[in-house]
Amino acid sequence: MRALLQSTYFVFIFAVMLNGAAFADVNSVEATIDRNPVMVDEAIRLTITADGSADREAFDSSPLLKDFVVGRTSVSSQTSIVNFDTKRTTVWTTTLFPRKEGSFTIPSLSIEGKTTKPIQVKVIPVQEQSNVARDYFVTTDIDLKEAYLNQQLLYTVKLYLSSNIERGSLQSPDMQNAEITQLGEDKQYTDIVNGRRYQIIERQFAVVPQASGEFTLRGPIFTGEVMAANTNQRFGFFNRTQQVNRVGPDITVNIKPIPQGIDYPWLPSEMVRVDEEWPQGDSFVAGEPVTRIVTLTALGVVEEQLPDIPEFYPPNFKLYPDQDNTTTVEKDQSLISQRQTSLAIIPTEPGNFVLPEITIPWFNTLTQKTEYATIPARSITVAAASSKDGNNGSAPGPLANSESADDTPTLVNTPVSQERSDDVGEENRDNARETRTEEDTTFLLLTLAIVSALLIVTALGWFLAFRKLKRITHGGHISSHGKYNGREGSVLGHTDEKAQFERVMSLIKANDTRALTPALQQWLKTLTGDNAQLSQFASINSLMSELYAARFAKNNADKNAQSKQIKPVFEKLSTEIKRLRSEWQKKHTGDNNRLSDLYPAS
């Protein structure tokens, strides 16, 4: 029992002593540095030690910012008890980077009412100890110290390491009113400097100033850990590391303003060009869309600096612009930016037109003169939508020749030939005359055969065979281009019509407007068996124009809203295409049946 009371007493006394130590005031504060003098690219480690209990947040580094860059600060506390005498200390450790040569003062620092003594620090240039081989250092370089506003500067940093490091980091350079971007990956190689071999890590940056004036490009800071030299350690496993800090030299640059007399969007570069993607040929049809893609490329600028691409077109064109695409990439130690515009152009009237040239002014930083990136003017011919109607004796539009098809079940072919010749275009009239001559000859032969059958009974078998052969020949060639393949039962001129129809349906289902127009054009040619144009089919052409208007509307930046708007148009287009195909097949299938009724003997 007595032993228990004694133990409780000692514990109580120990707790009181600790509690008293916890609330003890700071007795004194001391500041020390690890080196003096220090070279301009090295760091100083500043240690502040407070004797007594102090708040961990009591250290204020703002008085140091006048002459130094303050790095990361760490804090630690330690409590020791010797013969019931409790001692507590708080230690702050921070890194200071001098930015220039000269003598500087680390001012008095206050910790809870106690202050440190000022410390004089001498910062010497690196050249004063150039004869001494250094283990680690950083160099910086820039291609131009005088440039124009928004002109790219190429900044190069090299880290020299004489031995391997455990770990390390290299910060980016810093400059006010500038956009800094790393170019590519780090380069690693070895070189010999002052008779010593170094491993070199090279990193490059593109610096684009956003304001004019004189600025200081602050060198990057390297922080690493290397193995500490300790001859007393006999086992490498227990070796400790020490921190190494280096800073790259600062560079001052002069950024000139935009020259006087520049009245265009400022674009300083070494190379600017503008290109276009245009369909083959310069002949188009009124009402049919044409896509034009224009790309602006500039070297040494970011995409935000690229101006808008001017668009000037005659009033006879409807324009449906898509959203611009901009991008910036790095290549060959430089930034390359592009702006691409896509424009759907629909000519509304036939005639000859001139698309004006596209000209973009820019400032050549090599010659220091204004130059122009240009797409020359282009002359185009727009044909009328009806100019190709009835081509090669074909129907100009869907279901347009229903009466002609219904009139074909006659023994005498002259009316059918005459009606077909009326629809032939000016460029194919010679072919029409040849067709009429052949059909007139066929009529005479058929008439002679009938007369011979009445006079010569023995020739009846020959007459019937000839008439049957003629029915097959006539039924298989309704048009000179073979839109109907006779008794084989095919109502289409090409065997791949079904595949092309299914492709059109799949593009409509996928909402693919870009690929739909050529696919729809090819299917219509296959269905009609001639060179029919999309503009000849009024209902489909109207829906396609409505589709392009919905897709390229300026207020359709939201893809979801755009999809909801064009979906009903796709549905109507699908229904109209199916209706057209069904009626076209029904018409030609009916013609086949009526032709067969002309020959009851067979």
Side-chain angles (χ1 to χ4, degrees), residues 440-454:
D440 291 343
T441 303
T442 302
F443 169 73
L444 293 175
L445 291 176
L446 185 59
T447 303
L448 290 175
I450 294 175
V451 173
S452 299
L454 294 175

Side-chain angles (χ1 to χ4, degrees), residues 180-476:
I180 301 177
T181 306
Q182 181 175 342
L183 299 176
E185 301 293 333
D186 293 347
K187 300 177 183 178
Q188 297 190 25
Y189 52 92
T190 59
D191 197 2
I192 296 177
V193 179
N194 293 332
R196 190 168 187 177
R197 182 180 296 274
Y198 289 91
Q199 179 185 2
I200 302 175
I201 300 176
E202 180 179 322
R203 183 176 297 178
Q204 291 185 319
F205 297 88
V207 180
V208 181
Q210 305 296 316
S212 58
E214 187 173 274
F215 298 96
T216 299
L217 189 55
R218 301 295 185 184
I221 297 174
F222 167 70
T223 301
E225 292 184 5
V226 297
M227 298 302 298
N230 191 342
T231 57
N232 295 327
Q233 293 288 353
R234 304 184 64 178
F235 301 98
F237 180 78
F238 297 100
N239 286 347
R240 301 180 61 183
T241 61
Q242 67 178 15
Q243 190 173 16
V244 175
N245 298 287
R246 296 290 185 270
V247 59
D250 296 341
I251 298 178
T252 301
V253 294
N254 181 29
I255 306 303
K256 297 183 291 185
I258 300 175
Q260 294 183 355
I262 300 296
D263 56 354
Y264 53 84
W266 177 244
L267 184 63
S269 177
E270 296 181 4
M271 186 278 293
V272 175
R273 60 178 296 170
V274 60
D275 303 282
E276 68 172 342
E277 296 180 28
W278 186 262
Q280 294 293 329
D282 293 318
S283 298
F284 305 96
V285 178
E288 295 187 2
V290 180
T291 301
R292 187 186 196 187
I293 300 176
V294 180
T295 304
L296 172 64
T297 305
L299 183 67
V301 298
V302 294
E303 58 193 76
E304 291 79 9
Q305 298 175 231
L306 297 177
D308 293 333
I309 299 176
E311 296 176 352
F312 301 104
Y313 291 89
N316 312 87
F317 292 81
K318 292 182 179 179
L319 308 178
Y320 300 98
D322 206 346
Q323 280 188 304
D324 289 2
N325 294 323
T326 58
T327 184
T328 301
V329 298
E330 63 87 12
K331 185 177 181 182
D332 298 333
Q333 301 178 345
S334 182
L335 297 176
I336 301 178
S337 298
Q338 280 191 338
R339 178 184 295 276
Q340 187 177 83
T341 62
S342 179
L343 184 68
I345 306 172
I346 302 180
T348 59
E349 298 179 6
N352 297 321
F353 302 95
V354 176
L355 302 184
E357 69 175 16
I358 297 177
T359 301
I360 299 177
W362 60 285
F363 186 80
N364 192 325
T365 56
L366 298 178
T367 62
Q368 298 191 3
K369 295 181 180 179
T370 298
E371 298 186 8
Y372 300 90
T374 305
I375 295 179
R378 178 184 294 273
S379 299
I380 64 172
T381 300
V382 179
S386 60
S387 63
K388 295 186 179 181
D389 292 0
N391 235 10
N392 300 327
S394 305
L399 308 179
N401 284 344
S402 299
E403 296 181 0
S404 299
D406 293 339
D407 292 342
T408 53
T410 58
L411 185 62
V412 181
N413 291 336
T414 303
V416 178
S417 300
Q418 182 64 38
E419 183 172 337
R420 183 188 303 114
S421 64
D422 291 338
D423 293 336
V424 176
E426 187 66 26
E427 65 276 15
N428 292 325
R429 291 193 178 277
D430 292 338
N431 293 337
R433 295 190 186 97
E434 293 178 4
T435 302
R436 289 200 303 270
T437 302
E438 294 178 358
E439 291 175 346
D440 291 343
T441 303
T442 302
F443 169 73
L444 293 175
L445 291 176
L446 185 59
T447 303
L448 290 175
I450 294 175
V451 173
S452 299
L454 294 175
L455 298 176
I456 306 173
V457 178
T458 56
L460 182 60
W462 173 87
F463 173 72
L464 295 176
F466 176 80
R467 187 173 59 177
K468 183 176 181 179
L469 176 63
K470 191 60 184 175
R471 182 194 66 178
I472 296 175
T473 304
H474 179 73

Side-chain angles (χ1 to χ4, degrees), residues 68-82:
F68 303 92
V69 175
V70 181
R72 186 179 62 179
T73 301
S74 61
V75 58
S76 62
S77 299
Q78 182 178 2
T79 302
S80 61
I81 302 176
V82 180

Side-chain angles (χ1 to χ4, degrees), residues 576-590:
E576 179 62 23
I577 290 175
K578 291 178 181 178
R579 184 194 66 78
L580 171 64
R581 185 173 187 260
S582 176
E583 293 188 7
W584 192 277
Q585 290 178 334
K586 182 178 179 181
K587 182 192 69 173
H588 287 288
T589 302

